[in-house]
């Protein structure tokens, strides 16, 4: 038996290592107020069933979610909604790492079939160049040094 329903996980002004187990079903995961979370150790980090990602990007934010030190991580973005916003009056110039997957491309499964918004407006996926864009910013995967989900001004 199990209890059904929606569950939400919110990291609000959290910076540091998260050594807890994330398993089977947070429907929404949110990062706000310059949170920077490192999933660490041999705990289960299963976010395959997350369907909504709310990522608030701030000036002090290093990496919102760092999977590079997790040893039992599972994820899929297929069919997910990724909502990007800027905290306060922060404006991005250049680029910023949003998620570091530590070279594990399996954690990026289905990312090209997600729905992505920035500030409530839809970003369009460019299948030729493999990024989402709204004309001012682009969301893409950088595989130069591992696998990182990046947001950059255009």
């Amino acid at each position: 038996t199990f209890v059904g329903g929606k569950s939400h996980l919110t990291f609000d002004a959290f910076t540091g290592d998260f050594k807890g187990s994330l398993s089977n079903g947070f429907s929404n995961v949110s990062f706000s107020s310059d949170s920077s979370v490192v999933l660490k150790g041999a705990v289960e980090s299963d976010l395959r069933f997350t369907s909504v990602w709310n990522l608030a990007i701030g000036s002090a934010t290093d990496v919102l979610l760092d999977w590079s030190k997790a040893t039992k991580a599972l994820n899929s973005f297929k069919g997910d909604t990724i909502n990007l916003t800027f905290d306060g009056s922060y404006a991005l110039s250049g680029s910023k790492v949003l998620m570091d997957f530590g070279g594990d491309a399996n954690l990026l499964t289905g990312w090209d079939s997600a729905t992505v918004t920035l500030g409530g407006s839809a970003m369009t996926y460019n299948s030729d160049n493999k990024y989402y864009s709204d004309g001012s910013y682009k969301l893409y995967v950088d595989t130069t040094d591992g696998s990182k989900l990046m947001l950059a001004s255009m």
Side-chain angles (χ1 to χ4, degrees), residues 12-33:
D12 185 23
F14 178 88
T15 302
D17 296 344
F18 184 83
K19 298 177 184 177
S21 180
L22 302 172
S23 61
N24 294 334
F26 286 103
S27 52
N28 292 22
V29 176
S30 300
F31 298 86
S32 59
S33 301

Side-chain angles (χ1 to χ4, degrees), residues 94-125:
S95 63
K96 186 174 275 282
V97 177
L98 302 183
M99 295 186 188
D100 183 344
F101 298 99
D104 188 347
N106 292 324
L107 296 173
L108 287 156
T109 300
W111 96 277
D112 55 347
S113 64
T115 298
V116 179
T117 67
L118 177 60
S121 298
M123 296 182 86
T124 304
Y125 187 69

Side-chain angles (χ1 to χ4, degrees), residues 69-152:
K69 294 178 178 54
T71 54
K72 292 183 179 179
L74 299 167
N75 186 50
S76 172
F77 288 110
K78 186 172 182 155
D80 290 0
T81 298
I82 302 170
N83 298 310
L84 306 170
T85 57
F86 293 116
D87 265 350
S89 62
Y90 178 70
L92 177 67
S93 62
S95 63
K96 186 174 275 282
V97 177
L98 302 183
M99 295 186 188
D100 183 344
F101 298 99
D104 188 347
N106 292 324
L107 296 173
L108 287 156
T109 300
W111 96 277
D112 55 347
S113 64
T115 298
V116 179
T117 67
L118 177 60
S121 298
M123 296 182 86
T124 304
Y125 187 69
N126 179 320
S127 58
D128 293 334
N129 296 310
K130 300 186 181 340
Y131 64 78
Y132 290 89
S133 175
D134 68 351
S136 298
Y137 297 94
K138 69 178 181 178
L139 180 70
Y140 65 100
V141 174
D142 182 356
T143 57
T144 307
D145 182 27
S147 298
K148 296 180 174 119
L149 188 61
M150 308 281 295
L151 183 66

Side-chain angles (χ1 to χ4, degrees), residues 42-59:
V43 297
E44 183 178 8
S45 299
D46 185 351
L47 295 171
R48 290 175 296 171
F49 303 104
T50 299
S51 58
V52 177
W53 297 83
N54 297 307
L55 309 176
I57 304 151
S59 58

